[in-house]
C-alpha cells in the first residue's frame, strides 16, 4: 500500500531538538504561540558547579531558541523582523538553530547550525525597523523580513544536545550570565548612535550663544543658557529622512561644554633663559558659531584664558585675553597673576611656552601683554610678605577681585610688619590742648584673605609735622592677629589692642 507524502519537517525539527535537550540535561519549555513570542524553546541550564558555598553560585544560564528545519542547502532564511525584535529584546542569549535534514524517506539531521543573535544582527534588524517605521507607509513588522545566512563557521561539531549546550556556553564569558545581559542591553541601546545621531534645534541670538560658549570655555560659568522653541531629533543609524522628534519645549536650558583636548602647563618669560611664571592649565576646543569649519581654541588657567586667533609669520598669536577675577582660586595663583599682569610688562612681547602633557610636546609663541592691574606688582609683593609672616597656606582659596579691592590695606599691613612706614601719617585728636613733639600710639591694621582675617596691633612712633599731624618714623609690632572666620567686632579688636599696650607699659 502506498501513501501520499505528508512530511512535517518543522514538527520533526521541534521534536528532535526537544530530544536533544533531554539528553543534555537541559530543561526545554515550549512556546505555544511562536508568532506572538518570537521563539520556540526557552532553555534553562543546570547550575555551574562551584567550590564556593552555593549562596555564591552564579545564576544559571538561560536562552531562547527558534528552530528552523529544512532540506534545502542554500543556507539562508528570511526571518520576520517581529520575531527578531522579540529575540533582541530578550536580555538573555537568543539563537536561531538551523537543522538540515536528509532527503531520505525517514529524514534525519545531517547538519546543525547555531546562529547567535549578536551585535551584527541586532544592528541590521534595528536599522531595518527604523528605516521601515520612518517611511510614509510602513509595513507591519511581521511583513518586514531580514535575510539571515549561516555558514560552516556556525556548524555544531556534531548534531547533538551536548554540542548545542557547549556552543551556547561559549557566548557567555566565564558562565556569568549577568555580564552577558549587561553587554547585550548596552548593545541594544547604543547600536546605531554615533556622531550626528542626535540634533537639537532651538532659537537664541548669536550674541547670547557665543557669550555662553565663551563663558563655558574659559571656566567663568557652568550655568546653562536659556533657549526657546527647542526640538530634539533622533536619527539613529543616520538614515536619510530618518529623523524623529522625541522632545519639544517652548523653553529649555542648554549647556555647551568645551572639549578638553589636553592638560598643560603655561610658562611666561621675558627672554629664552629668564625665570618663568608658571600656571597649570588645559587646552580646550569649543564650537565656533561663526565658522563651520573652525573651532575656537583656548589655553585656560584658574584665573585667565587666552582665546587663540591666527598665528602670523613672526610666531605671534592674535590672542584675546579673558579673566575670571571673581572665581575662588588658590592664593599662590593670585600672586602669580599679579606678578605677570603688572604695569612693567605692558607693551612687552613675552615668550609663552605651553607644555602639552598628553601630546608630550611643547609649543612656543609670543604673547603681547596689553593688560595691567594698577599697582599689581606691589600687591603681589605685599601678599608674599603676609603669606610668610602669618604662615598662610598657598592653597587658601580667595578671589583676585577681593584682594585687589583691599590693595591699600594689604600694602599698609605689609609695610607695618616690615617697618616701611615713611609714608604713614597719623592725625591726633584735635581736642588736645597741647601737641607733643613725639608720640607713641597703637594702631590695628587688618585685611582678609578668603575666610581668613589677618592683622597686627602695631605701636607707631611719630614726630610732629604741624599742628596735630605726625609722620610715622617707626612701626613696632606688638601682636599679630589671625582669625579663621572673618574680622571680629570693633569691640573685640579694641580689647585686644588695650591688652597689647598694657603689656609694654
Amino acid at each position: 500500500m502506498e501513501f501520499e507524502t505528508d512530511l512535517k519537517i518543522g514538527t520533526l525539527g521541534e521534536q528532535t531538538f526537544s530530544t536533544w535537550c533531554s539528553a543534555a540535561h537541559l530543561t526545554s519549555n515550549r512556546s505555544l504561540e511562536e508568532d506572538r513570542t518570537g521563539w520556540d524553546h526557552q532553555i534553562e541550564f543546570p547550575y555551574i558547579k562551584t567550590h564556593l558555598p552555593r549562596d555564591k553560585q552564579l545564576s544559571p544560564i538561560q536562552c531562547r531558541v527558534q528552530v528552523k528545519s529544512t532540506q534545502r542547502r542554500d543556507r539562508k532564511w528570511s526571518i520576520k523582523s517581529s520575531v527578531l525584535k522579540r529575540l533582541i529584546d530578550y536580555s538573555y542569549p537568543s539563537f536561531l538553530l538551523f537543522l538540515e535534514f536528509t532527503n531520505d524517506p525517514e529524514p534525519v539531521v545531517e547538519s546543525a547550525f547555531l546562529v547567535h543573535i549578536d551585535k551584527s544582527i541586532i544592528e541590521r534588524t534595528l536599522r531595518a525597523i527604523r528605516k521601515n517605521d520612518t517611511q510614509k507607509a510602513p509595513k507591519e513588522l511581521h511583513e518586514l523580513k531580514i535575510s539571515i545566512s549561516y555558514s560552516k563557521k556556525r556548524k555544531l561539531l556534531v548534531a547533538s544536545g551536548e554540542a548545542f549546550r557547549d556552543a551556547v556556553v561559549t557566548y557567555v564569558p566565564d558562565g556569568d550570565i549577568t555580564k552577558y545581559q549587561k553587554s547585550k542591553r548596552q548593545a541594544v541601546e547604543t547600536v546605531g548612535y554615533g556622531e550626528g545621531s542626535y540634533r537639537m534645534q532651538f532659537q537664541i541670538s548669536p550674541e547670547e550663544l557665543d557669550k555662553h560658549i565663551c563663558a563655558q570655555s574659559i571656566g567663568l560659568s557652568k550655568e546653562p543658557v536659556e533657549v526657546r522653541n527647542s526640538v530634539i531629533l533622533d536619527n539613529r543609524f543616520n538614515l536619510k529622512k530618518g529623523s524623529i522628534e522625541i522632545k519639544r519645549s517652548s523653553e529649555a536650558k542648554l549647556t555647551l561644554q568645551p572639549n578638553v583636548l589636553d592638560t598643560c602647563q603655561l610658562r611666561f618669560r621675558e627672554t629664552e633663559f629668564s625665570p618663568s611664571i608658571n600656571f597649570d592649565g588645559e587646552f580646550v576646543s569649543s564650537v565656533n558659531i561663526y565658522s563651520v569649519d573652525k573651532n575656537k581654541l583656548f589655553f585656560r588657567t584658574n584665573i585667565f584664558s587666552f582665546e587663540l586667533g591666527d598665528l602670523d609669520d613672526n610666531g605671534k598669536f592674535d590672542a584675546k585675553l579673558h579673566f575670571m577675577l571673581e572665581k575662588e582660586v588658590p592664593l599662590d595663583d593670585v600672586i602669580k597673576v599679579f606678578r605677570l599682569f603688572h604695569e612693567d610688562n605692558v607693551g612687552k612681547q613675552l615668550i609663552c611656552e605651553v607644555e602639552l602633557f598628553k601630546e608630550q610636546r611643547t609649543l612656543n609663541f609670543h604673547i603681547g601683554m596689553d593688560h595691567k592691574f594698577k599697582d599689581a606688582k606691589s600687591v603681589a609683593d605685599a601678599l608674599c610678605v603676609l603669606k610668610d609672616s602669618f604662615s598662610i597656606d598657598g592653597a587658601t582659596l580667595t578671589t583676585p577681585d577681593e584682594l585687589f579691592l583691599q590693595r591699600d590695606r594689604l600694602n599698609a599691613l605689609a609695610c607695618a610688619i616690615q617697618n616701611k612706614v615713611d609714608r604713614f601719617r597719623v592725625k591726633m585728636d584735635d581736642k588736645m590742648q597741647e601737641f607733643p613733639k613725639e608720640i607713641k600710639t597703637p594702631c590695628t591694621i587688618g585685611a582678609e584673605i578668603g575666610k581668613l582675617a589677618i592683622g597686627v596691633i602695631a605701636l607707631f612712633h611719630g614726630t610732629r609735622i604741624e599742628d596735630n599731624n605726625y609722620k610715622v618714623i617707626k612701626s613696632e609690632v606688638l601682636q599679630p592677629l589671625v582669625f579663621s572666620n572673618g574680622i571680629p567686632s570693633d569691640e573685640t579688636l579694641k580689647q585686644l589692642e588695650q591688652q597689647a599696650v598694657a603689656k609694654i607699659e
Side-chain angles (χ1 to χ4, degrees), residues 41-78:
H41 297 260
Q42 181 160 305
I43 310 301
E44 296 182 8
F45 282 56
Y47 279 100
I48 299 172
K49 288 183 178 181
T50 177
H51 66 281
L52 298 172
R54 276 174 288 185
D55 64 297
K56 301 289 289 183
Q57 203 166 21
L58 293 174
S59 298
I61 295 171
Q62 295 182 30
C63 67
R64 283 180 179 172
V65 180
Q66 181 168 110
V67 179
K68 296 294 183 184
S69 303
T70 183
Q71 291 180 309
R72 304 196 318 264
R73 296 296 183 267
D74 56 354
R75 293 184 176 169
K76 62 181 178 180
W77 203 293
S78 292

mmCIF file of all heavy atoms in Angstrom, residues 41-78:
data_model
loop_
_atom_site.group_PDB
_atom_site.id
_atom_site.type_symbol
_atom_site.label_atom_id
_atom_site.label_comp_id
_atom_site.label_asym_id
_atom_site.label_seq_id
_atom_site.Cartn_x
_atom_site.Cartn_y
_atom_site.Cartn_z
ATOM 1 N N HIS A 41 11.588 27.638 21.882
ATOM 2 C CA HIS A 41 12.008 26.967 23.112
ATOM 3 C C HIS A 41 12.709 27.962 24.028
ATOM 4 O O HIS A 41 13.537 28.759 23.573
ATOM 5 C CB HIS A 41 12.995 25.820 22.805
ATOM 6 C CG HIS A 41 12.415 24.730 21.975
ATOM 7 N ND1 HIS A 41 11.968 23.539 22.496
ATOM 8 C CD2 HIS A 41 12.209 24.652 20.630
ATOM 9 C CE1 HIS A 41 11.523 22.772 21.521
ATOM 10 N NE2 HIS A 41 11.659 23.425 20.381
ATOM 11 N N GLN A 42 12.369 27.906 25.311
ATOM 12 C CA GLN A 42 13.142 28.622 26.321
ATOM 13 C C GLN A 42 13.887 27.572 27.124
ATOM 14 O O GLN A 42 13.272 26.695 27.732
ATOM 15 C CB GLN A 42 12.237 29.448 27.227
ATOM 16 C CG GLN A 42 13.032 30.236 28.278
ATOM 17 C CD GLN A 42 12.258 31.407 28.847
ATOM 18 O OE1 GLN A 42 11.788 32.257 28.094
ATOM 19 N NE2 GLN A 42 12.122 31.444 30.164
ATOM 20 N N ILE A 43 15.223 27.677 27.119
ATOM 21 C CA ILE A 43 16.073 26.635 27.682
ATOM 22 C C ILE A 43 16.664 27.106 29.006
ATOM 23 O O ILE A 43 17.190 28.219 29.102
ATOM 24 C CB ILE A 43 17.221 26.272 26.711
ATOM 25 C CG1 ILE A 43 16.676 26.011 25.306
ATOM 26 C CG2 ILE A 43 18.008 25.085 27.238
ATOM 27 C CD1 ILE A 43 15.664 24.897 25.247
ATOM 28 N N GLU A 44 16.574 26.233 29.994
ATOM 29 C CA GLU A 44 17.193 26.503 31.289
ATOM 30 C C GLU A 44 18.316 25.499 31.526
ATOM 31 O O GLU A 44 18.108 24.291 31.419
ATOM 32 C CB GLU A 44 16.154 26.405 32.406
ATOM 33 C CG GLU A 44 15.068 27.454 32.310
ATOM 34 C CD GLU A 44 14.069 27.355 33.458
ATOM 35 O OE1 GLU A 44 14.333 26.565 34.397
ATOM 36 O OE2 GLU A 44 13.037 28.047 33.405
ATOM 37 N N PHE A 45 19.508 26.018 31.820
ATOM 38 C CA PHE A 45 20.681 25.181 32.059
ATOM 39 C C PHE A 45 20.752 24.818 33.544
ATOM 40 O O PHE A 45 20.226 25.545 34.394
ATOM 41 C CB PHE A 45 21.953 25.944 31.672
ATOM 42 C CG PHE A 45 22.224 25.986 30.193
ATOM 43 C CD1 PHE A 45 21.284 26.477 29.293
ATOM 44 C CD2 PHE A 45 23.432 25.519 29.696
ATOM 45 C CE1 PHE A 45 21.548 26.524 27.944
ATOM 46 C CE2 PHE A 45 23.705 25.567 28.337
ATOM 47 C CZ PHE A 45 22.753 26.069 27.458
ATOM 48 N N PRO A 46 21.453 23.723 33.865
ATOM 49 C CA PRO A 46 21.719 23.425 35.278
ATOM 50 C C PRO A 46 22.684 24.471 35.853
ATOM 51 O O PRO A 46 23.329 25.214 35.116
ATOM 52 C CB PRO A 46 22.384 22.043 35.240
ATOM 53 C CG PRO A 46 22.201 21.525 33.864
ATOM 54 C CD PRO A 46 22.034 22.709 32.960
ATOM 55 N N TYR A 47 22.773 24.528 37.183
ATOM 56 C CA TYR A 47 23.779 25.384 37.817
ATOM 57 C C TYR A 47 25.173 24.906 37.435
ATOM 58 O O TYR A 47 25.408 23.701 37.247
ATOM 59 C CB TYR A 47 23.648 25.350 39.344
ATOM 60 C CG TYR A 47 22.560 26.245 39.890
ATOM 61 C CD1 TYR A 47 21.322 25.725 40.259
ATOM 62 C CD2 TYR A 47 22.792 27.604 40.050
ATOM 63 C CE1 TYR A 47 20.329 26.544 40.777
ATOM 64 C CE2 TYR A 47 21.802 28.436 40.569
ATOM 65 C CZ TYR A 47 20.570 27.904 40.924
ATOM 66 O OH TYR A 47 19.608 28.717 41.429
ATOM 67 N N ILE A 48 26.107 25.859 37.337
ATOM 68 C CA ILE A 48 27.509 25.501 37.101
ATOM 69 C C ILE A 48 28.129 25.108 38.438
ATOM 70 O O ILE A 48 27.941 25.797 39.448
ATOM 71 C CB ILE A 48 28.269 26.693 36.481
ATOM 72 C CG1 ILE A 48 27.647 27.066 35.125
ATOM 73 C CG2 ILE A 48 29.748 26.374 36.308
ATOM 74 C CD1 ILE A 48 28.196 28.349 34.535
ATOM 75 N N LYS A 49 28.855 24.003 38.444
ATOM 76 C CA LYS A 49 29.477 23.539 39.686
ATOM 77 C C LYS A 49 30.466 24.579 40.211
ATOM 78 O O LYS A 49 31.135 25.271 39.441
ATOM 79 C CB LYS A 49 30.211 22.216 39.453
ATOM 80 C CG LYS A 49 29.279 21.026 39.243
ATOM 81 C CD LYS A 49 30.078 19.741 39.101
ATOM 82 C CE LYS A 49 29.155 18.531 38.944
ATOM 83 N NZ LYS A 49 29.916 17.265 38.823
ATOM 84 N N THR A 50 30.553 24.674 41.540
ATOM 85 C CA THR A 50 31.474 25.635 42.157
ATOM 86 C C THR A 50 32.047 25.043 43.437
ATOM 87 O O THR A 50 31.394 24.225 44.100
ATOM 88 C CB THR A 50 30.747 26.958 42.473
ATOM 89 O OG1 THR A 50 31.657 27.847 43.131
ATOM 90 C CG2 THR A 50 29.544 26.734 43.383
ATOM 91 N N HIS A 51 33.281 25.470 43.772
ATOM 92 C CA HIS A 51 33.902 25.048 45.031
ATOM 93 C C HIS A 51 33.498 25.965 46.174
ATOM 94 O O HIS A 51 33.788 25.695 47.340
ATOM 95 C CB HIS A 51 35.437 25.043 44.890
ATOM 96 C CG HIS A 51 36.010 26.415 44.691
ATOM 97 N ND1 HIS A 51 35.976 27.048 43.462
ATOM 98 C CD2 HIS A 51 36.596 27.287 45.553
ATOM 99 C CE1 HIS A 51 36.547 28.244 43.582
ATOM 100 N NE2 HIS A 51 36.930 28.411 44.837
ATOM 101 N N LEU A 52 32.794 27.071 45.830
ATOM 102 C CA LEU A 52 32.364 28.039 46.833
ATOM 103 C C LEU A 52 31.042 27.595 47.462
ATOM 104 O O LEU A 52 30.346 26.734 46.911
ATOM 105 C CB LEU A 52 32.178 29.409 46.190
ATOM 106 C CG LEU A 52 33.427 30.056 45.575
ATOM 107 C CD1 LEU A 52 33.039 31.309 44.805
ATOM 108 C CD2 LEU A 52 34.451 30.386 46.655
ATOM 109 N N PRO A 53 30.688 28.170 48.607
ATOM 110 C CA PRO A 53 29.345 27.915 49.149
ATOM 111 C C PRO A 53 28.294 28.306 48.102
ATOM 112 O O PRO A 53 28.484 29.259 47.340
ATOM 113 C CB PRO A 53 29.275 28.832 50.374
ATOM 114 C CG PRO A 53 30.690 29.051 50.759
ATOM 115 C CD PRO A 53 31.480 29.046 49.493
ATOM 116 N N ARG A 54 27.193 27.609 48.064
ATOM 117 C CA ARG A 54 26.252 27.775 46.960
ATOM 118 C C ARG A 54 25.469 29.090 46.986
ATOM 119 O O ARG A 54 24.795 29.432 46.023
ATOM 120 C CB ARG A 54 25.309 26.578 46.897
ATOM 121 C CG ARG A 54 25.960 25.424 46.107
ATOM 122 C CD ARG A 54 25.144 24.174 46.143
ATOM 123 N NE ARG A 54 25.199 23.546 47.469
ATOM 124 C CZ ARG A 54 24.643 22.373 47.731
ATOM 125 N NH1 ARG A 54 23.974 21.708 46.803
ATOM 126 N NH2 ARG A 54 24.738 21.842 48.945
ATOM 127 N N ASP A 55 25.584 29.851 48.109
ATOM 128 C CA ASP A 55 24.994 31.193 48.053
ATOM 129 C C ASP A 55 25.805 32.111 47.141
ATOM 130 O O ASP A 55 25.336 33.182 46.745
ATOM 131 C CB ASP A 55 24.907 31.795 49.463
ATOM 132 C CG ASP A 55 26.281 31.998 50.075
ATOM 133 O OD1 ASP A 55 27.004 31.000 50.286
ATOM 134 O OD2 ASP A 55 26.639 33.166 50.334
ATOM 135 N N LYS A 56 27.041 31.674 46.784
ATOM 136 C CA LYS A 56 27.894 32.439 45.878
ATOM 137 C C LYS A 56 27.830 31.915 44.449
ATOM 138 O O LYS A 56 28.542 32.407 43.575
ATOM 139 C CB LYS A 56 29.351 32.388 46.369
ATOM 140 C CG LYS A 56 29.579 32.928 47.782
ATOM 141 C CD LYS A 56 29.433 34.428 47.830
ATOM 142 C CE LYS A 56 30.583 35.133 47.135
ATOM 143 N NZ LYS A 56 30.465 36.606 47.240
ATOM 144 N N GLN A 57 26.971 30.938 44.220
ATOM 145 C CA GLN A 57 26.884 30.302 42.912
ATOM 146 C C GLN A 57 26.300 31.258 41.876
ATOM 147 O O GLN A 57 25.371 32.014 42.161
ATOM 148 C CB GLN A 57 25.999 29.059 43.021
ATOM 149 C CG GLN A 57 26.243 28.011 41.956
ATOM 150 C CD GLN A 57 25.579 26.694 42.360
ATOM 151 O OE1 GLN A 57 24.662 26.669 43.171
ATOM 152 N NE2 GLN A 57 26.060 25.594 41.820
ATOM 153 N N LEU A 58 26.870 31.232 40.665
ATOM 154 C CA LEU A 58 26.375 32.087 39.593
ATOM 155 C C LEU A 58 24.959 31.689 39.196
ATOM 156 O O LEU A 58 24.585 30.513 39.280
ATOM 157 C CB LEU A 58 27.292 31.978 38.361
ATOM 158 C CG LEU A 58 28.702 32.539 38.506
ATOM 159 C CD1 LEU A 58 29.528 32.214 37.267
ATOM 160 C CD2 LEU A 58 28.669 34.049 38.725
ATOM 161 N N SER A 59 24.188 32.673 38.766
ATOM 162 C CA SER A 59 22.842 32.376 38.263
ATOM 163 C C SER A 59 22.949 31.463 37.047
ATOM 164 O O SER A 59 23.881 31.596 36.236
ATOM 165 C CB SER A 59 22.128 33.666 37.859
ATOM 166 O OG SER A 59 21.964 34.517 38.972
ATOM 167 N N PRO A 60 22.014 30.533 36.898
ATOM 168 C CA PRO A 60 22.107 29.603 35.768
ATOM 169 C C PRO A 60 21.859 30.307 34.434
ATOM 170 O O PRO A 60 21.137 31.298 34.354
ATOM 171 C CB PRO A 60 21.002 28.584 36.068
ATOM 172 C CG PRO A 60 20.047 29.297 36.951
ATOM 173 C CD PRO A 60 20.862 30.254 37.763
ATOM 174 N N ILE A 61 22.449 29.750 33.397
ATOM 175 C CA ILE A 61 22.276 30.288 32.047
ATOM 176 C C ILE A 61 20.875 29.954 31.544
ATOM 177 O O ILE A 61 20.340 28.875 31.794
ATOM 178 C CB ILE A 61 23.346 29.692 31.100
ATOM 179 C CG1 ILE A 61 24.741 30.147 31.542
ATOM 180 C CG2 ILE A 61 23.087 30.101 29.651
ATOM 181 C CD1 ILE A 61 25.870 29.450 30.809
ATOM 182 N N GLN A 62 20.288 30.913 30.856
ATOM 183 C CA GLN A 62 19.038 30.690 30.137
ATOM 184 C C GLN A 62 19.210 31.190 28.713
ATOM 185 O O GLN A 62 20.063 32.036 28.437
ATOM 186 C CB GLN A 62 17.878 31.454 30.791
ATOM 187 C CG GLN A 62 17.501 31.006 32.174
ATOM 188 C CD GLN A 62 16.307 31.788 32.697
ATOM 189 O OE1 GLN A 62 15.454 32.224 31.917
ATOM 190 N NE2 GLN A 62 16.248 31.977 34.010
ATOM 191 N N CYS A 63 18.407 30.691 27.804
ATOM 192 C CA CYS A 63 18.428 31.208 26.436
ATOM 193 C C CYS A 63 17.119 30.867 25.742
ATOM 194 O O CYS A 63 16.357 30.008 26.203
ATOM 195 C CB CYS A 63 19.612 30.657 25.643
ATOM 196 S SG CYS A 63 19.539 28.891 25.300
ATOM 197 N N ARG A 64 16.861 31.565 24.660
ATOM 198 C CA ARG A 64 15.718 31.259 23.807
ATOM 199 C C ARG A 64 16.210 30.833 22.432
ATOM 200 O O ARG A 64 17.206 31.368 21.930
ATOM 201 C CB ARG A 64 14.787 32.468 23.702
ATOM 202 C CG ARG A 64 13.925 32.655 24.937
ATOM 203 C CD ARG A 64 13.005 33.846 24.813
ATOM 204 N NE ARG A 64 12.172 33.980 26.014
ATOM 205 C CZ ARG A 64 11.379 35.008 26.257
ATOM 206 N NH1 ARG A 64 11.309 36.007 25.392
ATOM 207 N NH2 ARG A 64 10.656 35.042 27.365
ATOM 208 N N VAL A 65 15.485 29.893 21.856
ATOM 209 C CA VAL A 65 15.909 29.318 20.571
ATOM 210 C C VAL A 65 14.706 29.235 19.648
ATOM 211 O O VAL A 65 13.617 28.806 20.063
ATOM 212 C CB VAL A 65 16.503 27.909 20.766
ATOM 213 C CG1 VAL A 65 16.943 27.332 19.426
ATOM 214 C CG2 VAL A 65 17.678 27.948 21.741
ATOM 215 N N GLN A 66 14.904 29.690 18.414
ATOM 216 C CA GLN A 66 13.910 29.395 17.377
ATOM 217 C C GLN A 66 14.525 28.381 16.434
ATOM 218 O O GLN A 66 15.634 28.578 15.922
ATOM 219 C CB GLN A 66 13.499 30.641 16.602
ATOM 220 C CG GLN A 66 12.440 30.262 15.555
ATOM 221 C CD GLN A 66 11.775 31.456 14.933
ATOM 222 O OE1 GLN A 66 12.005 31.721 13.762
ATOM 223 N NE2 GLN A 66 10.970 32.166 15.679
ATOM 224 N N VAL A 67 13.823 27.295 16.231
ATOM 225 C CA VAL A 67 14.314 26.188 15.404
ATOM 226 C C VAL A 67 13.767 26.331 13.993
ATOM 227 O O VAL A 67 12.556 26.521 13.797
ATOM 228 C CB VAL A 67 13.892 24.827 16.012
ATOM 229 C CG1 VAL A 67 14.394 23.675 15.135
ATOM 230 C CG2 VAL A 67 14.432 24.692 17.427
ATOM 231 N N LYS A 68 14.650 26.255 13.012
ATOM 232 C CA LYS A 68 14.276 26.289 11.609
ATOM 233 C C LYS A 68 14.761 24.997 10.962
ATOM 234 O O LYS A 68 15.968 24.708 10.954
ATOM 235 C CB LYS A 68 14.897 27.491 10.891
ATOM 236 C CG LYS A 68 14.413 28.847 11.402
ATOM 237 C CD LYS A 68 12.939 29.049 11.111
ATOM 238 C CE LYS A 68 12.469 30.423 11.543
ATOM 239 N NZ LYS A 68 11.010 30.603 11.340
ATOM 240 N N SER A 69 13.815 24.207 10.444
ATOM 241 C CA SER A 69 14.154 22.911 9.843
ATOM 242 C C SER A 69 14.017 23.008 8.329
ATOM 243 O O SER A 69 13.072 23.627 7.811
ATOM 244 C CB SER A 69 13.215 21.826 10.374
ATOM 245 O OG SER A 69 13.283 21.779 11.783
ATOM 246 N N THR A 70 14.940 22.395 7.616
ATOM 247 C CA THR A 70 14.938 22.499 6.159
ATOM 248 C C THR A 70 15.618 21.292 5.529
ATOM 249 O O THR A 70 16.421 20.602 6.169
ATOM 250 C CB THR A 70 15.661 23.789 5.713
ATOM 251 O OG1 THR A 70 15.589 23.904 4.295
ATOM 252 C CG2 THR A 70 17.120 23.782 6.143
ATOM 253 N N GLN A 71 15.290 21.072 4.294
ATOM 254 C CA GLN A 71 16.017 20.092 3.474
ATOM 255 C C GLN A 71 16.750 20.798 2.339
ATOM 256 O O GLN A 71 17.361 20.141 1.502
ATOM 257 C CB GLN A 71 15.034 19.046 2.919
ATOM 258 C CG GLN A 71 14.475 18.123 4.007
ATOM 259 C CD GLN A 71 13.505 17.093 3.481
ATOM 260 O OE1 GLN A 71 12.563 17.430 2.761
ATOM 261 N NE2 GLN A 71 13.738 15.816 3.826
ATOM 262 N N ARG A 72 16.730 22.123 2.357
ATOM 263 C CA ARG A 72 17.475 22.901 1.378
ATOM 264 C C ARG A 72 18.924 23.022 1.835
ATOM 265 O O ARG A 72 19.256 22.784 2.990
ATOM 266 C CB ARG A 72 16.879 24.308 1.223
ATOM 267 C CG ARG A 72 15.401 24.324 0.850
ATOM 268 C CD ARG A 72 14.998 25.711 0.340
ATOM 269 N NE ARG A 72 15.562 26.803 1.122
ATOM 270 C CZ ARG A 72 14.923 27.415 2.097
ATOM 271 N NH1 ARG A 72 13.705 27.007 2.463
ATOM 272 N NH2 ARG A 72 15.486 28.407 2.748
ATOM 273 N N ARG A 73 19.785 23.464 0.889
ATOM 274 C CA ARG A 73 21.199 23.634 1.237
ATOM 275 C C ARG A 73 21.700 25.019 0.838
ATOM 276 O O ARG A 73 22.900 25.241 0.709
ATOM 277 C CB ARG A 73 22.056 22.558 0.539
ATOM 278 C CG ARG A 73 21.755 21.118 0.970
ATOM 279 C CD ARG A 73 22.076 20.915 2.435
ATOM 280 N NE ARG A 73 21.882 19.537 2.875
ATOM 281 C CZ ARG A 73 20.766 19.088 3.409
ATOM 282 N NH1 ARG A 73 19.723 19.904 3.567
ATOM 283 N NH2 ARG A 73 20.665 17.811 3.806
ATOM 284 N N ASP A 74 20.774 25.988 0.640
ATOM 285 C CA ASP A 74 21.219 27.341 0.271
ATOM 286 C C ASP A 74 21.697 28.134 1.484
ATOM 287 O O ASP A 74 22.316 29.175 1.373
ATOM 288 C CB ASP A 74 20.106 28.093 -0.441
ATOM 289 C CG ASP A 74 18.821 28.148 0.384
ATOM 290 O OD1 ASP A 74 18.769 27.508 1.449
ATOM 291 O OD2 ASP A 74 17.876 28.835 -0.046
ATOM 292 N N ARG A 75 21.375 27.629 2.679
ATOM 293 C CA ARG A 75 21.870 28.175 3.953
ATOM 294 C C ARG A 75 21.567 29.667 4.158
ATOM 295 O O ARG A 75 22.421 30.455 4.549
ATOM 296 C CB ARG A 75 23.363 27.891 4.100
ATOM 297 C CG ARG A 75 23.607 26.402 4.253
ATOM 298 C CD ARG A 75 25.031 26.020 4.491
ATOM 299 N NE ARG A 75 25.100 24.575 4.713
ATOM 300 C CZ ARG A 75 26.228 23.874 4.744
ATOM 301 N NH1 ARG A 75 27.388 24.485 4.581
ATOM 302 N NH2 ARG A 75 26.201 22.561 4.941
ATOM 303 N N LYS A 76 20.353 30.038 3.924
ATOM 304 C CA LYS A 76 19.868 31.376 4.270
ATOM 305 C C LYS A 76 18.362 31.278 4.472
ATOM 306 O O LYS A 76 17.689 30.399 3.931
ATOM 307 C CB LYS A 76 20.222 32.411 3.211
ATOM 308 C CG LYS A 76 19.627 32.177 1.837
ATOM 309 C CD LYS A 76 20.073 33.272 0.884
ATOM 310 C CE LYS A 76 19.505 33.009 -0.511
ATOM 311 N NZ LYS A 76 19.916 34.068 -1.461
ATOM 312 N N TRP A 77 17.861 32.210 5.285
ATOM 313 C CA TRP A 77 16.454 32.143 5.657
ATOM 314 C C TRP A 77 15.954 33.560 5.895
ATOM 315 O O TRP A 77 16.638 34.379 6.496
ATOM 316 C CB TRP A 77 16.294 31.328 6.940
ATOM 317 C CG TRP A 77 14.920 30.722 7.122
ATOM 318 C CD1 TRP A 77 13.761 31.385 7.327
ATOM 319 C CD2 TRP A 77 14.605 29.338 7.118
ATOM 320 N NE1 TRP A 77 12.728 30.511 7.456
ATOM 321 C CE2 TRP A 77 13.215 29.224 7.331
ATOM 322 C CE3 TRP A 77 15.356 28.154 6.973
ATOM 323 C CZ2 TRP A 77 12.553 28.015 7.400
ATOM 324 C CZ3 TRP A 77 14.708 26.948 7.040
ATOM 325 C CH2 TRP A 77 13.318 26.872 7.246
ATOM 326 N N SER A 78 14.764 33.846 5.403
ATOM 327 C CA SER A 78 14.140 35.139 5.659
ATOM 328 C C SER A 78 13.337 35.052 6.953
ATOM 329 O O SER A 78 12.395 34.246 7.043
ATOM 330 C CB SER A 78 13.232 35.550 4.501
ATOM 331 O OG SER A 78 14.004 35.825 3.347
#
